[in-house]
PDB file of all heavy atoms in Angstrom:
ATOM      1  N   SER A 212    -109.954  56.648  13.300  1.00  0.00           N
ATOM      2  CA  SER A 212    -110.758  55.434  12.972  1.00  0.00           C
ATOM      3  C   SER A 212    -111.355  55.439  11.613  1.00  0.00           C
ATOM      4  O   SER A 212    -111.756  56.483  11.169  1.00  0.00           O
ATOM      5  CB  SER A 212    -111.980  55.325  14.011  1.00  0.00           C
ATOM      6  OG  SER A 212    -112.773  54.174  13.755  1.00  0.00           O
ATOM      7  N   THR A 213    -111.276  54.235  10.747  1.00  0.00           N
ATOM      8  CA  THR A 213    -111.926  54.252   9.511  1.00  0.00           C
ATOM      9  C   THR A 213    -113.208  53.577   9.974  1.00  0.00           C
ATOM     10  O   THR A 213    -113.520  53.304  11.031  1.00  0.00           O
ATOM     11  CB  THR A 213    -111.176  53.288   8.669  1.00  0.00           C
ATOM     12  OG1 THR A 213    -110.947  51.996   9.406  1.00  0.00           O
ATOM     13  CG2 THR A 213    -109.788  53.867   8.303  1.00  0.00           C
ATOM     14  N   ASN A 214    -114.169  53.612   8.950  1.00  0.00           N
ATOM     15  CA  ASN A 214    -115.437  53.035   9.328  1.00  0.00           C
ATOM     16  C   ASN A 214    -115.486  51.550   9.223  1.00  0.00           C
ATOM     17  O   ASN A 214    -116.317  50.896   8.638  1.00  0.00           O
ATOM     18  CB  ASN A 214    -116.476  53.660   8.248  1.00  0.00           C
ATOM     19  CG  ASN A 214    -117.287  54.736   8.943  1.00  0.00           C
ATOM     20  OD1 ASN A 214    -117.236  54.930  10.124  1.00  0.00           O
ATOM     21  ND2 ASN A 214    -118.035  55.418   8.308  1.00  0.00           N
ATOM     22  N   GLU A 215    -114.552  50.922   9.914  1.00  0.00           N
ATOM     23  CA  GLU A 215    -114.621  49.434  10.037  1.00  0.00           C
ATOM     24  C   GLU A 215    -115.793  48.988  10.690  1.00  0.00           C
ATOM     25  O   GLU A 215    -116.481  49.556  11.404  1.00  0.00           O
ATOM     26  CB  GLU A 215    -113.250  48.874  10.548  1.00  0.00           C
ATOM     27  CG  GLU A 215    -113.293  49.399  12.136  1.00  0.00           C
ATOM     28  CD  GLU A 215    -112.070  48.986  12.826  1.00  0.00           C
ATOM     29  OE1 GLU A 215    -111.508  47.775  12.564  1.00  0.00           O
ATOM     30  OE2 GLU A 215    -111.528  49.548  13.601  1.00  0.00           O
ATOM     31  N   GLU A 216    -116.000  47.697  10.433  1.00  0.00           N
ATOM     32  CA  GLU A 216    -117.085  47.083  11.296  1.00  0.00           C
ATOM     33  C   GLU A 216    -116.861  47.149  12.771  1.00  0.00           C
ATOM     34  O   GLU A 216    -115.745  46.937  13.137  1.00  0.00           O
ATOM     35  CB  GLU A 216    -117.450  45.646  10.776  1.00  0.00           C
ATOM     36  CG  GLU A 216    -117.195  44.496  11.554  1.00  0.00           C
ATOM     37  CD  GLU A 216    -115.670  44.091  11.628  1.00  0.00           C
ATOM     38  OE1 GLU A 216    -114.742  44.804  11.079  1.00  0.00           O
ATOM     39  OE2 GLU A 216    -115.472  43.027  12.333  1.00  0.00           O
ATOM     40  N   ILE A 217    -117.814  47.382  13.561  1.00  0.00           N
ATOM     41  CA  ILE A 217    -117.616  47.396  15.066  1.00  0.00           C
ATOM     42  C   ILE A 217    -117.887  46.080  15.593  1.00  0.00           C
ATOM     43  O   ILE A 217    -119.012  45.533  15.277  1.00  0.00           O
ATOM     44  CB  ILE A 217    -118.456  48.552  15.653  1.00  0.00           C
ATOM     45  CG1 ILE A 217    -117.930  49.889  15.235  1.00  0.00           C
ATOM     46  CG2 ILE A 217    -118.541  48.359  17.290  1.00  0.00           C
ATOM     47  CD1 ILE A 217    -119.104  50.967  15.462  1.00  0.00           C
ATOM     48  N   ALA A 218    -116.860  45.532  16.145  1.00  0.00           N
ATOM     49  CA  ALA A 218    -117.043  44.088  16.750  1.00  0.00           C
ATOM     50  C   ALA A 218    -118.290  44.120  17.831  1.00  0.00           C
ATOM     51  O   ALA A 218    -118.507  45.054  18.408  1.00  0.00           O
ATOM     52  CB  ALA A 218    -115.819  43.670  17.528  1.00  0.00           C
ATOM     53  N   GLU A 219    -118.788  42.955  17.686  1.00  0.00           N
ATOM     54  CA  GLU A 219    -119.934  42.696  18.620  1.00  0.00           C
ATOM     55  C   GLU A 219    -119.364  42.570  20.101  1.00  0.00           C
ATOM     56  O   GLU A 219    -119.029  41.401  20.368  1.00  0.00           O
ATOM     57  CB  GLU A 219    -120.772  41.496  18.137  1.00  0.00           C
ATOM     58  CG  GLU A 219    -121.662  41.483  17.036  1.00  0.00           C
ATOM     59  CD  GLU A 219    -122.980  42.396  17.538  1.00  0.00           C
ATOM     60  OE1 GLU A 219    -123.498  41.919  18.604  1.00  0.00           O
ATOM     61  OE2 GLU A 219    -123.316  43.253  16.809  1.00  0.00           O
ATOM     62  N   ILE A 220    -119.288  43.550  20.805  1.00  0.00           N
ATOM     63  CA  ILE A 220    -118.640  43.397  21.982  1.00  0.00           C
ATOM     64  C   ILE A 220    -119.722  43.936  23.057  1.00  0.00           C
ATOM     65  O   ILE A 220    -120.329  44.964  22.863  1.00  0.00           O
ATOM     66  CB  ILE A 220    -117.373  44.254  22.184  1.00  0.00           C
ATOM     67  CG1 ILE A 220    -116.607  43.680  23.260  1.00  0.00           C
ATOM     68  CG2 ILE A 220    -117.585  45.673  22.289  1.00  0.00           C
ATOM     69  CD1 ILE A 220    -115.061  44.128  23.157  1.00  0.00           C
ATOM     70  N   LYS A 221    -119.870  43.124  24.061  1.00  0.00           N
ATOM     71  CA  LYS A 221    -120.905  43.394  25.089  1.00  0.00           C
ATOM     72  C   LYS A 221    -120.314  44.421  26.129  1.00  0.00           C
ATOM     73  O   LYS A 221    -119.285  44.030  26.776  1.00  0.00           O
ATOM     74  CB  LYS A 221    -121.467  42.293  25.717  1.00  0.00           C
ATOM     75  CG  LYS A 221    -122.576  41.557  24.929  1.00  0.00           C
ATOM     76  CD  LYS A 221    -123.568  40.732  25.713  1.00  0.00           C
ATOM     77  CE  LYS A 221    -122.880  39.701  26.607  1.00  0.00           C
ATOM     78  NZ  LYS A 221    -123.740  38.727  27.284  1.00  0.00           N
ATOM     79  N   ALA A 222    -120.833  45.628  26.325  1.00  0.00           N
ATOM     80  CA  ALA A 222    -120.396  46.356  27.493  1.00  0.00           C
ATOM     81  C   ALA A 222    -121.800  46.931  28.137  1.00  0.00           C
ATOM     82  O   ALA A 222    -122.289  47.885  27.730  1.00  0.00           O
ATOM     83  CB  ALA A 222    -119.594  47.525  26.990  1.00  0.00           C
ATOM     84  N   PRO A 223    -122.185  46.058  29.141  1.00  0.00           N
ATOM     85  CA  PRO A 223    -123.480  46.420  29.609  1.00  0.00           C
ATOM     86  C   PRO A 223    -123.647  47.810  30.246  1.00  0.00           C
ATOM     87  O   PRO A 223    -124.834  48.260  30.506  1.00  0.00           O
ATOM     88  CB  PRO A 223    -123.818  45.342  30.771  1.00  0.00           C
ATOM     89  CG  PRO A 223    -122.889  44.204  30.234  1.00  0.00           C
ATOM     90  CD  PRO A 223    -121.704  44.887  29.777  1.00  0.00           C
ATOM     91  N   GLY A 224    -122.461  48.496  30.605  1.00  0.00           N
ATOM     92  CA  GLY A 224    -122.567  49.820  30.985  1.00  0.00           C
ATOM     93  C   GLY A 224    -123.154  50.643  29.858  1.00  0.00           C
ATOM     94  O   GLY A 224    -123.476  51.896  30.116  1.00  0.00           O
ATOM     95  N   LEU A 225    -123.229  50.000  28.765  1.00  0.00           N
ATOM     96  CA  LEU A 225    -123.862  50.824  27.570  1.00  0.00           C
ATOM     97  C   LEU A 225    -125.337  50.455  27.526  1.00  0.00           C
ATOM     98  O   LEU A 225    -125.871  50.871  26.523  1.00  0.00           O
ATOM     99  CB  LEU A 225    -123.080  50.468  26.364  1.00  0.00           C
ATOM    100  CG  LEU A 225    -121.577  50.476  26.164  1.00  0.00           C
ATOM    101  CD1 LEU A 225    -120.993  50.117  25.048  1.00  0.00           C
ATOM    102  CD2 LEU A 225    -121.239  51.937  26.632  1.00  0.00           C
ATOM    103  N   LEU A 226    -125.905  49.797  28.359  1.00  0.00           N
ATOM    104  CA  LEU A 226    -127.323  49.678  28.475  1.00  0.00           C
ATOM    105  C   LEU A 226    -128.008  51.129  28.336  1.00  0.00           C
ATOM    106  O   LEU A 226    -127.456  52.028  28.818  1.00  0.00           O
ATOM    107  CB  LEU A 226    -127.869  49.102  29.877  1.00  0.00           C
ATOM    108  CG  LEU A 226    -127.458  47.562  29.959  1.00  0.00           C
ATOM    109  CD1 LEU A 226    -127.945  47.228  31.473  1.00  0.00           C
ATOM    110  CD2 LEU A 226    -128.291  46.812  29.051  1.00  0.00           C
ATOM    111  N   ALA A 227    -129.222  51.043  27.773  1.00  0.00           N
ATOM    112  CA  ALA A 227    -129.908  52.336  27.549  1.00  0.00           C
ATOM    113  C   ALA A 227    -130.196  53.013  28.931  1.00  0.00           C
ATOM    114  O   ALA A 227    -130.109  54.307  28.996  1.00  0.00           O
ATOM    115  CB  ALA A 227    -131.207  52.093  26.773  1.00  0.00           C
ATOM    116  N   SER A 228    -130.572  52.202  30.001  1.00  0.00           N
ATOM    117  CA  SER A 228    -130.941  52.850  31.272  1.00  0.00           C
ATOM    118  C   SER A 228    -129.929  52.483  32.228  1.00  0.00           C
ATOM    119  O   SER A 228    -129.627  51.217  32.471  1.00  0.00           O
ATOM    120  CB  SER A 228    -132.278  52.426  31.599  1.00  0.00           C
ATOM    121  OG  SER A 228    -132.493  53.009  33.049  1.00  0.00           O
ATOM    122  N   HIS A 229    -129.350  53.478  32.927  1.00  0.00           N
ATOM    123  CA  HIS A 229    -128.263  53.141  33.931  1.00  0.00           C
ATOM    124  C   HIS A 229    -127.945  54.490  34.619  1.00  0.00           C
ATOM    125  O   HIS A 229    -128.511  55.488  34.289  1.00  0.00           O
ATOM    126  CB  HIS A 229    -126.977  52.728  33.103  1.00  0.00           C
ATOM    127  CG  HIS A 229    -126.146  51.662  33.758  1.00  0.00           C
ATOM    128  ND1 HIS A 229    -126.316  50.291  33.543  1.00  0.00           N
ATOM    129  CD2 HIS A 229    -125.029  51.803  34.558  1.00  0.00           C
ATOM    130  CE1 HIS A 229    -125.421  49.673  34.095  1.00  0.00           C
ATOM    131  NE2 HIS A 229    -124.588  50.490  34.855  1.00  0.00           N
ATOM    132  N   TYR A 230    -127.243  54.376  35.740  1.00  0.00           N
ATOM    133  CA  TYR A 230    -126.721  55.553  36.352  1.00  0.00           C
ATOM    134  C   TYR A 230    -128.058  56.431  36.879  1.00  0.00           C
ATOM    135  O   TYR A 230    -127.970  57.692  36.853  1.00  0.00           O
ATOM    136  CB  TYR A 230    -125.919  56.488  35.444  1.00  0.00           C
ATOM    137  CG  TYR A 230    -124.808  55.748  34.826  1.00  0.00           C
ATOM    138  CD1 TYR A 230    -124.835  55.477  33.321  1.00  0.00           C
ATOM    139  CD2 TYR A 230    -123.595  55.277  35.476  1.00  0.00           C
ATOM    140  CE1 TYR A 230    -123.866  54.819  32.692  1.00  0.00           C
ATOM    141  CE2 TYR A 230    -122.670  54.557  34.830  1.00  0.00           C
ATOM    142  CZ  TYR A 230    -122.748  54.440  33.415  1.00  0.00           C
ATOM    143  OH  TYR A 230    -121.774  53.726  32.799  1.00  0.00           O
ATOM    144  N   ALA A 231    -129.057  55.763  37.127  1.00  0.00           N
ATOM    145  CA  ALA A 231    -130.443  56.495  37.343  1.00  0.00           C
ATOM    146  C   ALA A 231    -130.715  56.751  38.859  1.00  0.00           C
ATOM    147  O   ALA A 231    -130.732  55.869  39.636  1.00  0.00           O
ATOM    148  CB  ALA A 231    -131.401  55.808  36.623  1.00  0.00           C
ATOM    149  N   PRO A 232    -131.168  58.001  39.165  1.00  0.00           N
ATOM    150  CA  PRO A 232    -131.584  58.262  40.501  1.00  0.00           C
ATOM    151  C   PRO A 232    -133.122  57.827  40.560  1.00  0.00           C
ATOM    152  O   PRO A 232    -133.639  57.592  39.515  1.00  0.00           O
ATOM    153  CB  PRO A 232    -131.403  59.770  40.616  1.00  0.00           C
ATOM    154  CG  PRO A 232    -131.605  60.322  39.307  1.00  0.00           C
ATOM    155  CD  PRO A 232    -131.141  59.243  38.328  1.00  0.00           C
ATOM    156  N   ASN A 233    -133.836  58.060  41.636  1.00  0.00           N
ATOM    157  CA  ASN A 233    -135.195  57.737  41.746  1.00  0.00           C
ATOM    158  C   ASN A 233    -135.968  58.839  41.034  1.00  0.00           C
ATOM    159  O   ASN A 233    -136.996  58.715  40.402  1.00  0.00           O
ATOM    160  CB  ASN A 233    -135.721  57.558  43.194  1.00  0.00           C
ATOM    161  CG  ASN A 233    -135.155  56.417  43.861  1.00  0.00           C
ATOM    162  OD1 ASN A 233    -134.915  55.341  43.277  1.00  0.00           O
ATOM    163  ND2 ASN A 233    -134.841  56.625  45.278  1.00  0.00           N
ATOM    164  N   ALA A 234    -135.484  60.076  41.177  1.00  0.00           N
ATOM    165  CA  ALA A 234    -136.184  61.214  40.529  1.00  0.00           C
ATOM    166  C   ALA A 234    -136.124  60.980  38.949  1.00  0.00           C
ATOM    167  O   ALA A 234    -135.169  60.426  38.378  1.00  0.00           O
ATOM    168  CB  ALA A 234    -135.432  62.455  40.799  1.00  0.00           C
ATOM    169  N   ARG A 235    -137.145  61.635  38.273  1.00  0.00           N
ATOM    170  CA  ARG A 235    -137.067  61.471  36.933  1.00  0.00           C
ATOM    171  C   ARG A 235    -136.309  62.669  36.237  1.00  0.00           C
ATOM    172  O   ARG A 235    -136.305  63.858  36.808  1.00  0.00           O
ATOM    173  CB  ARG A 235    -138.691  61.798  36.377  1.00  0.00           C
ATOM    174  CG  ARG A 235    -138.756  61.803  34.846  1.00  0.00           C
ATOM    175  CD  ARG A 235    -140.320  61.668  34.406  1.00  0.00           C
ATOM    176  NE  ARG A 235    -140.945  62.897  34.905  1.00  0.00           N
ATOM    177  CZ  ARG A 235    -141.846  63.526  34.280  1.00  0.00           C
ATOM    178  NH1 ARG A 235    -142.395  62.957  33.099  1.00  0.00           N
ATOM    179  NH2 ARG A 235    -142.402  64.607  34.636  1.00  0.00           N
ATOM    180  N   VAL A 236    -135.351  62.283  35.525  1.00  0.00           N
ATOM    181  CA  VAL A 236    -134.470  63.172  34.943  1.00  0.00           C
ATOM    182  C   VAL A 236    -135.032  63.716  33.440  1.00  0.00           C
ATOM    183  O   VAL A 236    -135.236  62.968  32.620  1.00  0.00           O
ATOM    184  CB  VAL A 236    -132.980  62.548  34.758  1.00  0.00           C
ATOM    185  CG1 VAL A 236    -131.940  63.585  34.068  1.00  0.00           C
ATOM    186  CG2 VAL A 236    -132.405  62.046  36.091  1.00  0.00           C
ATOM    187  N   LEU A 237    -135.068  65.027  33.338  1.00  0.00           N
ATOM    188  CA  LEU A 237    -135.461  65.624  32.055  1.00  0.00           C
ATOM    189  C   LEU A 237    -134.273  66.408  31.533  1.00  0.00           C
ATOM    190  O   LEU A 237    -133.641  67.276  32.264  1.00  0.00           O
ATOM    191  CB  LEU A 237    -136.726  66.599  32.335  1.00  0.00           C
ATOM    192  CG  LEU A 237    -137.895  65.887  33.253  1.00  0.00           C
ATOM    193  CD1 LEU A 237    -138.716  66.853  33.689  1.00  0.00           C
ATOM    194  CD2 LEU A 237    -138.624  64.989  32.214  1.00  0.00           C
ATOM    195  N   LEU A 238    -134.087  66.247  30.197  1.00  0.00           N
ATOM    196  CA  LEU A 238    -132.912  66.892  29.616  1.00  0.00           C
ATOM    197  C   LEU A 238    -133.317  68.029  28.770  1.00  0.00           C
ATOM    198  O   LEU A 238    -134.286  68.099  28.094  1.00  0.00           O
ATOM    199  CB  LEU A 238    -132.255  65.820  28.699  1.00  0.00           C
ATOM    200  CG  LEU A 238    -131.899  64.363  29.319  1.00  0.00           C
ATOM    201  CD1 LEU A 238    -131.231  63.551  28.284  1.00  0.00           C
ATOM    202  CD2 LEU A 238    -130.855  64.748  30.526  1.00  0.00           C
ATOM    203  N   ALA A 239    -132.370  69.047  28.777  1.00  0.00           N
ATOM    204  CA  ALA A 239    -132.540  70.243  28.095  1.00  0.00           C
ATOM    205  C   ALA A 239    -131.330  70.694  27.401  1.00  0.00           C
ATOM    206  O   ALA A 239    -130.174  70.449  28.008  1.00  0.00           O
ATOM    207  CB  ALA A 239    -132.996  71.477  29.021  1.00  0.00           C
ATOM    208  N   GLU A 240    -131.424  71.172  26.204  1.00  0.00           N
ATOM    209  CA  GLU A 240    -130.134  71.624  25.555  1.00  0.00           C
ATOM    210  C   GLU A 240    -129.944  73.127  25.768  1.00  0.00           C
ATOM    211  O   GLU A 240    -128.935  73.729  25.508  1.00  0.00           O
ATOM    212  CB  GLU A 240    -130.383  71.429  23.896  1.00  0.00           C
ATOM    213  CG  GLU A 240    -130.217  69.923  23.502  1.00  0.00           C
ATOM    214  CD  GLU A 240    -128.854  69.385  23.463  1.00  0.00           C
ATOM    215  OE1 GLU A 240    -127.766  70.038  23.773  1.00  0.00           O
ATOM    216  OE2 GLU A 240    -128.768  68.113  23.290  1.00  0.00           O
ATOM    217  N   SER A 241    -131.064  73.758  26.181  1.00  0.00           N
ATOM    218  CA  SER A 241    -131.030  75.296  26.193  1.00  0.00           C
ATOM    219  C   SER A 241    -132.024  75.745  27.223  1.00  0.00           C
ATOM    220  O   SER A 241    -132.907  75.022  27.629  1.00  0.00           O
ATOM    221  CB  SER A 241    -131.338  75.792  24.735  1.00  0.00           C
ATOM    222  OG  SER A 241    -132.831  75.431  24.591  1.00  0.00           O
ATOM    223  N   GLU A 242    -131.965  77.036  27.497  1.00  0.00           N
ATOM    224  CA  GLU A 242    -132.845  77.715  28.339  1.00  0.00           C
ATOM    225  C   GLU A 242    -134.357  77.632  27.880  1.00  0.00           C
ATOM    226  O   GLU A 242    -135.300  77.423  28.608  1.00  0.00           O
ATOM    227  CB  GLU A 242    -132.527  79.211  28.473  1.00  0.00           C
ATOM    228  CG  GLU A 242    -132.709  79.795  29.899  1.00  0.00           C
ATOM    229  CD  GLU A 242    -131.900  80.974  30.184  1.00  0.00           C
ATOM    230  OE1 GLU A 242    -131.174  81.495  29.430  1.00  0.00           O
ATOM    231  OE2 GLU A 242    -131.944  81.442  31.319  1.00  0.00           O
ATOM    232  N   ALA A 243    -134.545  77.627  26.476  1.00  0.00           N
ATOM    233  CA  ALA A 243    -135.841  77.532  25.920  1.00  0.00           C
ATOM    234  C   ALA A 243    -136.342  76.090  26.339  1.00  0.00           C
ATOM    235  O   ALA A 243    -137.495  76.016  26.632  1.00  0.00           O
ATOM    236  CB  ALA A 243    -135.836  77.754  24.370  1.00  0.00           C
ATOM    237  N   ASP A 244    -135.627  75.225  26.125  1.00  0.00           N
ATOM    238  CA  ASP A 244    -135.982  73.876  26.467  1.00  0.00           C
ATOM    239  C   ASP A 244    -136.465  73.716  27.961  1.00  0.00           C
ATOM    240  O   ASP A 244    -137.401  72.928  28.322  1.00  0.00           O
ATOM    241  CB  ASP A 244    -134.870  72.866  26.282  1.00  0.00           C
ATOM    242  CG  ASP A 244    -134.588  72.487  24.822  1.00  0.00           C
ATOM    243  OD1 ASP A 244    -135.301  72.997  24.061  1.00  0.00           O
ATOM    244  OD2 ASP A 244    -133.647  71.623  24.652  1.00  0.00           O
TER     245      ASP A 244
END
Side-chain angles (χ1 to χ4, degrees):
S212 180
T213 55
N214 259 349
E215 67 181 317
E216 110 281 9
I217 292 160
E219 280 285 315
I220 201 162
K221 277 209 298 188
L225 308 179
L226 289 176
S228 171
H229 217 85
Y230 314 106
N233 295 323
R235 181 167 64 146
V236 178
L237 304 164
L238 305 180
E240 290 284 355
S241 64
E242 216 156 3
D244 285 358

